Amino acid sequence: MVRPPAYTPAMRLHRCVSLLLILGACDCGEDGETPTTPPTGGTTGTPSAAGPALFEADGALAVAAGTSSQEFDVPITSGVAFEVQLTSSSFDPVLAVQAPGMAVLTNDDWQGSRSESRIRGAATTDGVLKITVTSFDAAASGAFHVAVIPAVAGAAQVPATQLSVGQNVEGALEESDTHLADGRLIDHYVIQGQPGSSLELNIEALTPTIPNAILMSPSGQSIGTAENGRYAITQPGPHRLQLVSAAPGQQAGYRIALSQATGSVVPTLARSHHTWPSDLNGPAIRLGETVRGQLDSSRALPTGEPALVYSVDAQEGQPLVVEMRSTAFDPYLMMLSPSGQHWENDDHDGTRDAGLDVVAPESGTYRIVATAYRAQMAGVFELKASGERRVVAAAQATAAGASETRAGALAAGDSTLPTGEFADAYTFDLAQGERVYFGARSSAFDTYLIVAPPSGDQTDNDDESPPNTDAGIDYVASVAGTHRVTVTSYQPGETGAYTLEVRRSGGAAAPPAEGSGGTPSPSVAAQATGERTSGTLAAGDRTLDSGEFADAYTRTFAAGQSVQVRLESSQFDPYLIMTPPGGTQQDNDDLDSTTRTAGFDIPAAQAGEYRFIVTSYQPGETGAYSLSFGAGAAAPQAGPTNPTNPTAPPAAGAPRVFGLFAGISDYPAGVGDLPECANDAVKLAEALRNQGLLTEDRQVLLTDAQATQANMLQGLQLLASQMQPTDVFVFFFSGHGGQGRPGSQDTREIDGVDEFLVMHDGQLLDDRLATAFDAVGAGTSLIAIDSCHSGGFAKDLITRPGRVGLFSSEEDVLSAVAGQFQAGGYLSHFLRTGVMGEADTSPQDRVLTVGELARFLRLQFSAHASDVQFQGAYQHIVVDRGAVSSNQVLWRY
């Protein structure tokens, strides 16, 4: 009897216990690896490979000598199944492998091992197997061993059957088939996706025992099933299909049908929302040519995004730079080589514009798809393809302490920004920490300045001293290298002469003179925390463009200094404007709803001059005020608490970070195992230690059999006894979660159902965990739970001030394993990358706030997990800040 397609067993692994009998064997591996079961005994085990090695080499990473990675090219022939093994006892090895005609596959920790990485695959064509050895830690050094061996015991090759459109294949998993390390049976197939085509793959079970189906895209990403049981093959290049028995030695029959898609079939899980258009015909453009187009609903990708197609000819080895700009929508670029290699880009160089910069791998016609990040977006855009990279001549160096003035003019024919303004660009080579003042003056137009470092965010300024319209930036270089300074205008089309003033100085650059009109504003070049200044807003003072009277102050702060700024008045509603050395203006009216006090908390100041404008909420308000600069609360930070005596114990009340990290991959019999969850806990703790925020004596790490209910509660008790109100506590769990039966007596459970964490020895109820949390006295507790139904813990844990909850899904929704990121869950992966510094964006000041982390996690879930769905419900992150302010500082890097 043929099982209907609705029961096709290709399902995404999730992290709850309600469907373990169905999903316990659906371990889809990591980024394209053949699924394996970890060997017992805690060792890395012996691979299911035999025969002489195809390649072996010893090497070493030596960062000091400029060798942070090593590459190897291994000739390989079509049909050879291989396993690449990388081991090191000196560093955490990371392996990247590219088989001929396929995208790069990567692996960090094979089966949770910190010393080994492995990747399996099969060559579909003759060519070179490209192997790259690097490390999780960019500063790591030491010896390693890499080997390529046949991936099947007793045979050097495993032919992969090629499937063609219109072909129906019946097969079976039998004892004579290839065996995995744990005894499961496996069959291999290869499907060639064609540019511009969309194929449907249907797999049916012919026996009561159901094989697990795993389909990997050319980029090594696992593709889920659509609701009708079909797979979508929308990318060009070879796709690998693996049919695996659910248990060791278990035989199963199946039928495979491959056909041309008759409608839009979209993968359930895709790293990109974009699929290739069915029609790749479009106008040809020449290298160096700029074209303008408009996206609308008349032509769209199968996934709904509007798109236009262009073609350009390039020669092998030639740089191929494609840029797409628009102010109407968020551009997205896709490019396809003559043989099917493809590239995609959303945001380029820190902007919303898209860009691709590649070296043409072959001569021929390249297809360029100009599209938008989301469907329903539309508008005009500009597209340019170039055969050479842009090189801007460097400006002559200006000696430290020297000053120079450059004369220029904005005029028709100049370069323009995407928003239409004319622009002139200059470059300056700056050392890290060097301070330079840039000022743009013009009586003909409203100047605007942009300083872009070699890496990181650019700094903009419009009006340095309102109402004067000249721009100025007192800039401190965060990185060494060539900085690009752009002089432009506030409005598109403005023209006229200007001067660019450049002053290099080891200290603060003096600000330009205040604008004319009104009473001179106080300007204080020195700073002293604890200082209080009095002043008065009165008729005759300078005014803002919106009519409010204003006084200006400047203060110079040291790098990392914590400052609390407060503006108070009993005679008007105070309003405070702050411009840090970078030039990004920040405004504040009321710090809270109980008072009219305005102010800023600067947890770790940038080195340089801050500018403060004291004004009122309404135009015309006058009266006396008080402006104070007090010492702010310190944030937990990297490095010793006492830099002059690093070995000294922390001072009483000094902020510290504590952490409890639990992850379970290897559950006991009867509970399905989960890939990478134990490693989630290990890696998050390591990330905080690498940032200098956490020490091993302030952490509890529980993995697999260690992660019992008693150890979890005792770990909480141990850390709670050491914490102070100034400390930060990080609680993290990655593993199975579940819900109990209705009937809870907890009044907070309005649905009548309790949630629980599945520990190694049973269920830890939310109520019991909440009781244990009562002993935690840290000022801020960051609670992150990556499991099914995790959102239900918010009602029990986010009940006191100072607690922030990060939960991988809502309380009645399941959570998925993030296989494409080699992580047990999406929250686990994004949280780790966020705390490593990627969440520090608003501003990028090496200080991480609760709001920055929450925004980063929401953006990552939206970009990479918005289409994760189980049982009709989509997985979304739940962020519950409780009574914690978005501006609350977690720590300083």
Side-chain angles (χ1 to χ4, degrees):
M1 178 178 178
V2 176
R3 188 178 296 274
Y7 292 93
T8 301
M11 301 178 67
R12 184 187 288 108
L13 182 65
H14 64 68
R15 303 148 60 81
C16 77
V17 295
S18 59
L19 294 176
L20 295 180
L21 293 179
I22 299 175
L23 297 172
C26 234
D27 181 354
C28 295
E30 304 161 3
D31 276 10
E33 293 180 274
T34 300
T36 57
T37 298
T40 58
T43 65
T44 57
T46 302
S48 59
L54 305 175
F55 171 82
E56 276 194 280
D58 291 310
L61 301 185
V63 175
T67 311
S68 59
S69 65
Q70 283 198 30
E71 298 180 355
F72 303 90
D73 290 342
V74 181
I76 197 165
T77 56
S78 177
V80 171
F82 60 84
E83 179 173 273
V84 184
Q85 302 176 351
L86 171 64
T87 57
S88 175
S89 59
S90 302
F91 59 88
D92 184 356
V94 175
L95 178 64
V97 174
Q98 185 176 20
M102 299 184 68
V104 177
L105 303 178
T106 62
N107 178 250
D108 180 9
D109 298 322
W110 183 75
Q111 297 181 351
S113 170
R114 307 298 304 287
S115 61
E116 186 168 11
S117 296
R118 296 189 188 183
I119 289 176
R120 284 186 180 177
T124 58
T125 61
D126 295 344
V128 175
L129 187 68
K130 297 182 178 181
I131 302 170
T132 302
V133 176
T134 183
S135 172
F136 177 75
D137 182 358
S141 297
F144 64 83
H145 179 79
V146 62
V148 182
I149 58 178
V152 181
Q157 298 187 13
V158 176
T161 302
Q162 300 279 340
L163 295 179
S164 303
V165 176
Q167 187 176 12
N168 291 300
V169 175
E170 290 192 4
L173 295 173
E174 300 173 325
E175 185 60 33
S176 59
D177 287 337
T178 304
H179 287 64
L180 301 182
D182 62 347
R184 286 182 290 171
L185 309 175
I186 183 168
D187 281 349
H188 298 266
Y189 295 87
V190 173
I191 303 167
Q192 187 70 34
Q194 299 299 326
S197 69
S198 182
L199 307 179
E200 296 178 7
L201 175 67
N202 195 313
I203 306 172
E204 298 176 339
L206 300 180
T207 58
T209 56
I210 305 172
N212 291 318
I214 304 164
L215 179 64
M216 309 301 297
S217 72
S219 60
Q221 179 187 353
S222 178
I223 302 177
T225 59
E227 293 182 359
N228 57 7
R230 297 174 297 172
Y231 287 96
I233 299 175
T234 57
Q235 297 182 23
H239 293 61
R240 292 186 297 144
L241 172 65
Q242 301 167 346
L243 298 176
V244 186
S245 64
Q250 186 182 76
Q251 302 185 32
Y254 56 84
R255 178 186 291 118
I256 303 173
L258 183 64
S259 60
Q260 193 74 40
T262 56
S264 176
V265 182
V266 183
T268 306
L269 176 61
R271 200 177 295 215
S272 166
H273 294 281
H274 302 72
T275 58
W276 290 87
S278 57
D279 180 8
L280 281 172
N281 294 317
I285 59 176
R286 298 185 304 272
L287 292 177
E289 181 182 1
T290 299
V291 297
R292 289 175 173 81
Q294 180 165 350
L295 297 184
D296 54 40
S297 59
S298 63
R299 186 173 183 183
L301 304 180
T303 40
E305 298 86 1
L308 290 175
V309 179
Y310 298 87
S311 64
V312 63
D313 291 333
Q315 299 299 313
E316 181 180 356
Q318 180 180 28
L320 184 53
V321 181
V322 184
E323 300 170 282
M324 181 182 179
R325 300 175 177 177
S326 176
T327 58
F329 60 90
D330 187 352
Y332 194 99
L333 266 178
M334 307 163 72
M335 185 166 67
L336 190 70
S337 75
S339 64
Q341 185 176 357
H342 67 278
W343 302 265
E344 298 185 24
N345 179 259
D346 174 24
D347 298 326
H348 183 65
D349 282 346
T351 70
R352 288 205 322 166
D353 296 329
L356 293 169
D357 187 348
V358 303
V359 175
E362 58 190 309
S363 298
T365 300
Y366 289 73
R367 309 292 180 178
I368 300 171
V369 180
T371 180
Y373 182 68
R374 294 287 189 194
Q376 289 81 48
M377 289 184 174
V380 296
F381 65 87
E382 182 180 276
L383 180 76
K384 181 179 181 180
S386 175
E388 57 183 18
R389 295 182 173 89
R390 290 177 298 172
V391 178
V392 181
Q396 293 182 349
T398 304
S403 176
E404 66 170 313
T405 300
R406 301 195 181 190
L410 297 184
D414 283 352
S415 299
T416 59
L417 302 182
T419 45
E421 297 85 358
F422 297 121
D424 288 345
Y426 302 83
T427 58
F428 299 87
D429 290 329
L430 304 180
Q432 185 175 7
E434 184 176 356
R435 183 163 186 184
V436 184
Y437 173 79
F438 299 103
R441 316 271 181 261
S442 177
S443 59
F445 63 91
D446 185 352
T447 58
Y448 195 100
L449 263 179
I450 303 171
V451 180
S455 61
D457 295 335
Q458 69 183 32
T459 300
D460 297 29
N461 180 258
D462 173 27
D463 299 328
E464 183 183 27
S465 305
N468 188 297
T469 60
D470 292 332
I473 297 175
D474 190 6
Y475 184 79
V476 179
S478 59
V479 296
T482 301
H483 291 61
R484 183 182 178 91
V485 177
T486 301
V487 178
T488 183
S489 60
Y490 182 73
Q491 296 286 352
E494 290 186 289
T495 59
Y498 66 83
T499 58
L500 174 65
E501 182 183 2
V502 183
R503 290 202 300 267
R504 294 179 184 250
S505 172
E514 300 289 352
S516 59
T519 304
S521 302
S523 179
V524 182
Q527 77 81 27
T529 54
E531 168 202 1
R532 181 177 292 272
T533 299
S534 298
T536 303
L537 294 183
D541 283 352
R542 59 182 299 183
T543 60
L544 304 182
D545 291 341
S546 47
E548 298 85 357
F549 297 120
D551 288 344
Y553 296 82
T554 59
R555 292 293 185 274
T556 301
F557 301 132
Q561 185 175 1
S562 179
V563 184
Q564 184 184 83
V565 186
R566 296 293 183 265
L567 173 63
E568 300 172 281
S569 175
S570 60
Q571 298 177 5
F572 62 88
D573 187 353
Y575 193 100
L576 188 61
I577 301 171
M578 178 180 71
T579 304
T584 303
Q585 176 179 305
Q586 302 175 41
D587 296 27
N588 180 260
D589 175 24
D590 301 323
L591 277 173
D592 56 59
S593 59
T594 60
T595 69
R596 296 199 306 177
T597 300
F600 295 97
D601 290 309
I602 308 172
Q606 302 175 51
E609 185 178 85
Y610 282 68
R611 182 175 181 82
F612 299 92
I613 303 292
V614 174
T615 184
S616 59
Y617 182 74
Q618 296 285 351
E621 290 186 286
T622 59
Y625 62 82
S626 173
L627 179 65
S628 62
F629 300 89
Q637 61 185 34
T641 306
N642 184 352
T644 61
N645 184 10
T647 61
R656 301 163 299 173
V657 175
F658 289 80
L660 190 155
F661 311 91
I664 308 176
S665 293
D666 185 12
Y667 277 93
V671 181
D673 290 344
L674 287 169
E676 294 291 340
C677 289
N679 223 23
D680 289 341
V682 173
K683 285 187 173 182
L684 181 59
E686 180 184 53
L688 290 170
R689 292 197 308 273
N690 287 344
Q691 294 292 340
L693 296 164
L694 182 70
T695 56
E696 292 192 2
D697 61 316
R698 297 201 299 266
Q699 76 170 39
V700 171
L701 178 60
L702 305 173
T703 58
D704 292 336
Q706 300 171 332
T708 63
Q709 300 175 69
N711 285 348
M712 175 79 87
L713 299 176
Q714 290 173 12
L716 267 172
Q717 184 179 17
L718 172 67
L719 295 177
S721 66
Q722 305 173 45
M723 294 181 204
Q724 302 171 351
T726 54
D727 294 329
V728 173
F729 175 48
V730 178
F731 175 88
F732 173 80
F733 175 82
S734 177
H736 280 304
Q739 286 187 310
R741 296 179 178 178
S744 171
Q745 301 304 308
D746 188 343
T747 57
R748 292 171 297 198
E749 299 286 0
I750 58 176
D751 58 356
V753 179
D754 284 304
E755 284 73 36
F756 56 81
L757 303 179
V758 183
M759 308 303 295
H760 199 272
D761 61 342
Q763 301 173 2
L764 179 58
L765 280 176
D766 49 10
D767 295 347
R768 191 177 181 194
L769 185 61
T771 301
F773 251 92
D774 289 342
V776 175
T780 304
S781 291
L782 188 68
I783 302 168
I785 299 178
D786 199 342
S787 73
C788 291
H789 309 294
S790 57
F793 283 83
K795 293 179 291 189
D796 297 272
L797 296 178
I798 314 303
T799 56
R800 294 192 177 187
R803 296 182 184 177
V804 179
L806 306 173
F807 307 105
S808 60
S809 60
E810 296 159 302
E811 67 176 317
D812 59 343
V813 177
L814 311 182
S815 292
V817 170
Q820 74 268 44
F821 294 113
Q822 297 179 0
Y826 290 95
L827 176 60
S828 301
H829 175 72
F830 299 140
L831 177 62
R832 178 168 67 90
T833 57
V835 302
M836 289 172 67
E838 290 191 24
D840 174 28
T841 57
S842 303
Q844 191 174 19
D845 56 0
R846 301 189 61 75
V847 175
L848 184 64
T849 65
V850 170
E852 284 180 316
L853 181 58
R855 179 177 182 271
F856 174 79
L857 293 174
R858 288 190 177 106
L859 289 175
Q860 296 305 309
F861 264 77
S862 174
H864 300 289
S866 62
D867 49 5
V868 178
Q869 181 184 18
F870 289 116
Q871 301 176 1
Y874 286 90
Q875 179 184 350
H876 298 285
I877 188 173
V878 175
V879 178
D880 191 339
R881 292 193 286 107
V884 178
S885 166
S886 177
N887 295 323
Q888 173 64 43
V889 174
L890 289 171
W891 47 70
R892 175 157 56 95
Y893 292 103

